[in-house]
Amino acid sequence: MIRPAELIQRKRDGGELSASELSELIVGYARGEVPDYQLAAFCMAVFFRGLSAAETFALTDAMVRSGETIDLGAALGRKVVDKHSTGGVGDKTSLAVGPIVAACGVPLGKMSGRGLGHTGGTLDKLESIPGYRTELSLDEFVAQVRDIGLAIVGQTADLVPADKLLYGLRDVTATVDQHSLIAASIMSKKLAAGAQAIVLDVKVGDGAFMRTLDDARRLAETMLEIGNRAGREVVCLLTDMDQPLGAAVGNALEVKEARDTVRGRGPADFTELVLDACARLLALSDLGVDEAEGRRRAESAVADGSADEAWCRWIEAQGGTADEAALPVAPVVHEVRAERGGYVSRLGAIRIGNAALHLGAGRRTKDDAIDHSVGVVCLAKHGDAVEPGQTLALVHARDEESAAAAALEVDSAYELSAEQPAVRSVLLEVVR
Ligand code: URA
């Protein structure tokens, strides 16, 4: 039997832990045999000393083994793909990618999380659709992926229970932003949920966990290595999170923008990322196409309406209504106008994320309730020319008071300059 204090001490002093030691520690923690305070000390030791590639894989593997796993591929007799984002502001990518990929004939089964702090969660967005069920039984989940080609659900309590516990602990002990811990957390859920090929969207910038390209690259390489050791194909996209993705930030607003994008009417940066992710997922699938052909098929699913049909099939199969008029609408819409003219040289993602959070679109603690109707729509983005008095953004709020406070925050997120800044692409780098 391991002594947790010895393992913490060894890691604190820069030593290496074996796979069996990490396994006992994590499985013991998940069973309630190792207390929170020892795992908190362990996470802090890892924060300062890091984990080797072998330790990171062993940690991930132990987390996977803390609960049940699903073999979606075997259940469907098909290669199943998945995508995951490390989280950002306005990141509704899965909502648009899912139906496009499904319309191209590739099954996608995804377990998503909730948002915390300034980053939104896919589940919260989906719950703004009246009737949508985020909790399916495992049998229902598998049946829906098989019959409809797409299901997006919440993570079941039995899938990687160690991550649920550990993530909650890291969140309150300042140990979230360590690349091995993030990689193990994300990859344990991806491996347990059973997809054979995974596209990972690693967000970089002001509104992301990874602030620099170097840090994002390191996280991507760590996740890639875990995936490869586990026999999964992984492609990592490093994408811009210095400004919000697309225009909408806030749950129902993002659902509407994702649907617009599936119909070919989405904002340019978001559409580009969605089509790129679809192309890579199709190339990893069993369709036998390359990325160029994947892109062509994704574009035609949008253009011919089959992606929108897949959207309706998916939402309705999961108990929701595909009627956009049923989405909640905020009673107050407040315009944020430019005081002077110029080019948008900066649109801080974190400030917009915080404005949406303060409006009630997100939660500060895990138990906060969410107002699905509120948020911010950024009409002017990085590089855009604006005239004096032009509307930069719309604040959707539950009352005038919260709208006015959020408008100040949104206004402070915008910086204007006389010269047009260099164009920034949403896709920064691909790591594979
Ligand atoms: N997302 C996760 O699932 N886990 C982390 O640790 C960070 C982001």
Side-chain angles (χ1 to χ4, degrees):
M1 185 56 196
I2 51 143
R3 285 198 52 236
E6 276 176 25
L7 305 190
I8 297 164
Q9 184 179 7
R10 196 172 341 133
K11 185 42 69 188
R12 183 201 68 189
D13 295 342
E16 174 113 7
L17 307 185
S18 71
S20 66
E21 287 169 333
L22 281 162
S23 170
E24 272 195 66
L25 185 69
I26 295 302
V27 173
Y29 177 56
R31 286 202 199 112
E33 292 160 6
V34 177
D36 269 353
Y37 56 81
Q38 286 188 308
L39 252 291
F42 171 75
C43 288
M44 192 54 86
V46 171
F47 185 88
F48 285 110
R49 291 297 190 169
L51 292 176
S52 67
E55 285 176 314
T56 307
F57 182 71
L59 173 67
T60 312
D61 187 51
M63 287 165 67
V64 171
R65 284 185 293 99
S66 71
E68 60 183 44
T69 57
I70 312 167
D71 190 347
L72 263 183
L76 268 69
R78 288 280 310 268
K79 187 173 180 187
V80 176
V81 299
D82 194 358
K83 87 149 268 296
H84 189 85
S85 155
T86 57
V89 178
D91 187 6
K92 71 259 348 148
T93 313
S94 298
L95 302 186
V97 164
I100 297 174
V101 165
C104 295
V106 171
L108 191 139
K110 181 162 167 52
M111 297 207 174
S112 288
R114 296 191 182 281
L116 192 62
H118 70 275
T119 64
T122 301
L123 282 194
D124 298 322
K125 296 170 206 211
L126 285 168
E127 281 178 352
S128 54
I129 302 173
Y132 189 93
R133 290 170 62 212
T134 52
E135 287 182 21
L136 299 188
S137 70
L138 271 187
D139 286 347
E140 286 174 315
F141 174 65
V142 172
Q144 190 175 309
V145 179
R146 187 187 52 232
D147 301 341
I148 308 289
L150 173 61
I152 303 185
V153 297
Q155 193 184 317
T156 69
D158 300 331
L159 198 98
V160 202
D163 178 62
K164 214 170 208 165
L165 292 168
L166 208 52
Y167 193 84
L169 191 67
R170 287 166 54 216
D171 193 42
V172 292
T173 55
T175 51
V176 168
D177 46 349
Q178 200 285 334
H179 70 278
S180 290
L181 295 179
I182 297 177
S185 165
I186 292 175
M187 291 305 289
S188 60
K189 287 174 286 201
K190 297 293 104 184
L191 300 184
Q196 289 100 327
I198 307 155
V199 170
L200 295 168
D201 179 2
V202 181
K203 300 280 178 214
V204 193
D206 162 70
F209 283 121
M210 299 293 129
R211 299 286 158 90
T212 67
L213 207 47
D214 277 349
D215 284 346
R217 224 175 262 134
R218 190 153 67 141
L219 175 61
E221 282 160 4
T222 308
M223 293 196 288
L224 203 64
E225 164 121 21
I226 296 170
N228 291 342
R229 279 181 190 240
R232 314 290 168 98
E233 292 167 81
V234 180
V235 175
C236 295
L237 311 178
L238 308 192
T239 68
D240 180 46
M241 191 31 71
D242 262 339
Q243 66 174 340
L245 181 60
V249 180
N251 301 287
L253 296 167
E254 291 189 49
V255 168
K256 185 173 176 316
E257 185 165 281
R259 176 92 186 264
D260 285 346
T261 304
V262 162
R263 290 165 162 164
R265 297 183 225 134
D269 61 338
F270 180 55
T271 300
E272 178 52 32
L273 177 56
V274 166
L275 291 174
D276 192 281
C278 289
R280 292 175 203 277
L281 283 164
L282 297 185
L284 287 170
S285 76
D286 56 11
L287 289 184
V289 299
D290 63 11
E291 285 174 5
E293 175 61 11
R295 173 81 183 217
R296 203 195 56 69
R297 290 192 189 190
E299 282 171 355
S300 54
V302 170
D304 68 16
S306 54
D308 193 46
E309 285 164 21
W311 171 289
C312 297
R313 273 198 304 277
W314 156 49
I315 298 293
E316 282 162 11
Q318 239 166 297
T321 166
D323 177 6
E324 278 165 284
L327 288 171
V329 177
V332 174
V333 180
H334 185 111
E335 291 185 43
V336 178
R337 293 175 184 273
E339 277 179 17
R340 56 192 178 85
Y343 293 95
V344 178
S345 54
R346 181 157 176 70
L347 169 54
I350 192 133
R351 292 211 173 154
I352 300 293
N354 279 332
L357 173 68
H358 297 149
L359 283 164
R363 50 175 79 76
R364 284 172 241 232
T365 72
K366 275 182 280 196
D367 301 322
D368 279 355
I370 276 188
D371 183 339
H372 291 97
S373 70
V374 300
V376 181
V377 178
C378 300
L379 300 175
K381 300 270 315 253
H382 182 261
D384 288 349
V386 296
E387 301 289 331
Q390 185 177 327
T391 306
L392 295 173
L394 298 172
V395 170
H396 293 244
R398 62 170 75 118
D399 52 42
E400 296 289 351
E401 195 184 342
S402 62
L408 288 176
E409 247 174 321
V410 170
D411 189 49
S412 75
Y414 277 95
E415 282 174 24
L416 300 184
S417 68
E419 278 171 34
Q420 187 164 29
V423 178
R424 208 166 51 207
S425 146
V426 66
L427 179 64
L428 304 171
E429 206 170 295
V430 180
V431 179
R432 58 172 103 223

